[in-house]
Amino acid sequence: MATDSNQHKDSMEHGGVEKKIEIERKFAVTSDAGERILQAGGIRIKETTFEDAYFDTKSYQFTLADCWLRKRDGTWELKVGVHEDKLGATCTKYVEIEVESEIVSRLDAILNAMHNPEVNTKQQLSTPASSSSVEEYLQQHDMQNFATFKTTRTCYQIGEDVSVILDTTDFDFNVGEIEIMASESKVEETVQRLEKLSQELGFGDLSAVNFDLFMPPSWRQKTEDGDKIQDSNHVTSELDI
């Protein structure tokens, strides 16, 4: 989301608070990643384990559009990718939605936009939701679970505003993520900080990983049955995780 400089100036002049957004960069995890974080002054905060179940249509309309509907330990969540040139090739920004009615409205808007590209998302979101719950929406659109797995997550903090997450899944796929909350006027600066910190920590790019080797068992079975996901590298690398 590009920030209008005049809007920013007006907001600050009137004592407004700039909106904070999450900028993140995923990386390939090595066996010594935790030790590198500690050596860089990081602090180990906590370790948790949770189960994720991901859902989509049979043709993977949402995941291929960088929209991720999951049920994490019984709670529905939706992550929608926001693509901006200033984020670069390795950093990403997501809108995260946890209220069911808002999830359904956003899913409606995304699906309708695919069929009516001339209508923008804001207009689509003003339309009443087609379902009263996510479960009902899944039934109406014949959406199915395409991957279920457990993740052990270790969280670290570096300084005041940098979070580093190391995830290990039950299908032997490990991925890390560096996150910084930034004001919209400092997105480019934050991206540069992330890239620099990644290099200092020696974190590798996920593009070098063959994700076909790490697909969840339930997902792998679907591809073997001929229900092939069009871009497994993209989908596996962005599973949040």
Side-chain angles (χ1 to χ4, degrees):
M1 184 189 308
T3 302
D4 187 296
S5 59
N6 291 326
Q7 275 188 336
H8 169 64
K9 181 179 179 181
D10 182 67
S11 172
M12 300 310 291
E13 286 177 349
H14 289 81
V17 178
E18 250 197 310
K19 180 181 178 182
K20 293 284 187 177
I21 57 176
E22 177 187 276
I23 306 297
E24 62 184 44
R25 182 192 191 281
K26 292 189 186 319
F27 58 88
V29 174
T30 57
S31 59
D32 63 345
E35 185 61 31
R36 291 186 184 189
I37 296 170
L38 295 176
Q39 290 176 353
I43 301 173
R44 189 174 184 273
I45 304 299
K46 63 179 179 179
E47 181 175 290
T48 58
T49 299
F50 50 85
E51 181 175 87
D52 285 323
Y54 282 82
F55 296 80
D56 205 338
T57 61
K58 290 182 178 179
S59 56
Y60 301 98
Q61 290 171 289
F62 292 108
T63 53
L64 292 176
D66 205 12
C67 303
W68 306 89
L69 176 64
R70 67 174 175 232
K71 199 170 190 179
R72 173 167 290 178
D73 285 343
T75 300
W76 288 107
E77 300 175 349
L78 178 67
K79 291 189 69 173
V80 182
V82 179
H83 301 279
E84 301 176 356
D85 291 338
K86 61 184 176 183
L87 292 177
T90 58
C91 294
T92 54
K93 168 185 168 184
Y94 283 91
V95 173
E96 299 187 14
I97 305 171
E98 298 179 351
V99 179
E100 277 205 48
S101 59
E102 294 179 10
I103 290 175
V104 171
S105 293
R106 182 57 67 99
L107 291 174
D108 271 339
I110 293 167
L111 204 56
N112 290 336
M114 293 179 186
H115 302 292
N116 302 289
E118 70 280 359
V119 181
N120 63 41
T121 303
K122 187 174 182 179
Q123 290 175 296
Q124 296 285 4
L125 287 172
S126 65
T127 304
S130 63
S131 308
S132 60
S133 68
V134 175
E135 294 283 358
E136 183 180 325
Y137 191 91
L138 295 183
Q139 295 178 6
Q140 289 180 345
H141 295 273
D142 195 23
M143 295 175 66
Q144 301 174 359
N145 166 238
F146 69 86
T148 298
F149 53 88
K150 289 185 178 180
T151 300
T152 297
R153 168 167 292 177
T154 307
C155 301
Y156 298 83
Q157 187 80 20
I158 300 179
E160 296 183 357
D161 62 345
V162 180
S163 298
V164 184
I165 295 171
L166 303 182
D167 284 337
T168 301
T169 70
D170 60 1
F171 59 96
D172 297 325
F173 176 66
N174 302 327
V175 63
E177 187 174 282
I178 305 177
E179 301 176 351
I180 299 179
M181 296 299 294
S183 57
E184 292 191 338
S185 62
K186 295 185 177 180
V187 170
E188 293 182 62
E189 177 185 322
T190 301
V191 169
Q192 293 174 2
R193 282 185 63 200
L194 282 177
E195 293 294 352
K196 181 179 179 181
L197 182 57
S198 296
Q199 293 176 5
E200 291 174 349
L201 291 171
F203 291 160
D205 192 342
L206 278 177
S207 62
V209 178
N210 179 3
F211 294 108
D212 284 326
L213 300 176
F214 300 104
M215 288 191 292
S218 58
W219 186 354
R220 187 179 298 112
Q221 184 60 50
K222 285 182 179 294
T223 63
E224 291 172 352
D225 289 343
D227 195 9
K228 182 65 177 177
I229 296 173
Q230 296 178 32
D231 187 352
S232 60
N233 270 28
H234 167 70
V235 178
T236 311
S237 67
E238 291 300 334
L239 279 175
D240 185 57
I241 154 155

